[in-house]
Amino acid sequence: MTTIRLISFDLDNTVWPTDPVLRQAEDEVIRWLQHRAPRLASNHDLNSLRAHRQALMRQQPAIAHDMTAVRLASLRLLLEAFE
C-alpha cells in the first residue's frame, strides 16, 4: 500500500503547465453537456460558460474563492434555465 505524502497544487504554472489539463477538463464538460443537455450546449460555448461563471462570481462574492462551488452553481443555474 502506497501512502500519499504530498499533494501539490500549481495553478500558476511554476512547476508544470496546468493550462492543457484545464482545457481538457473544459472540453469534457462541453462533451458532457452536448450529450446530457443538448439545448444548453447549443446555446453556450466555452467563452459564454466562462462569462456566466465570472458574472456569478460578481453576483455571489461569498463563493467567488471556491471555483468548485462557482462551477456547480453556474451549471445548476444554466441547466434550470434550459429545462
Side-chain angles (χ1 to χ4, degrees), residues 3-47:
T3 302
I4 297 173
R5 299 186 66 179
L6 174 70
I7 296 176
S8 173
F9 297 95
D10 178 36
L11 298 179
D12 65 353
N13 296 313
T14 56
V15 178
W16 62 78
T18 57
D19 291 340
V21 174
L22 294 174
R23 268 191 240 103
Q24 183 180 358
E26 287 181 324
D27 290 343
E28 287 297 321
V29 168
I30 292 293
R31 279 192 285 280
W32 186 89
L33 288 172
Q34 289 168 339
H35 181 70
R36 299 277 195 306
R39 283 185 30 215
L40 190 157
S42 68
N43 284 277
H44 286 277
D45 60 11
L46 283 176
N47 290 328

Side-chain angles (χ1 to χ4, degrees), residues 51-68:
H52 189 266
R53 287 194 306 265
Q54 291 169 348
L56 182 62
M57 291 167 68
R58 287 189 297 278
Q59 294 165 1
Q60 298 185 30
I63 66 167
H65 69 283
D66 184 343
M67 284 309 296
T68 298

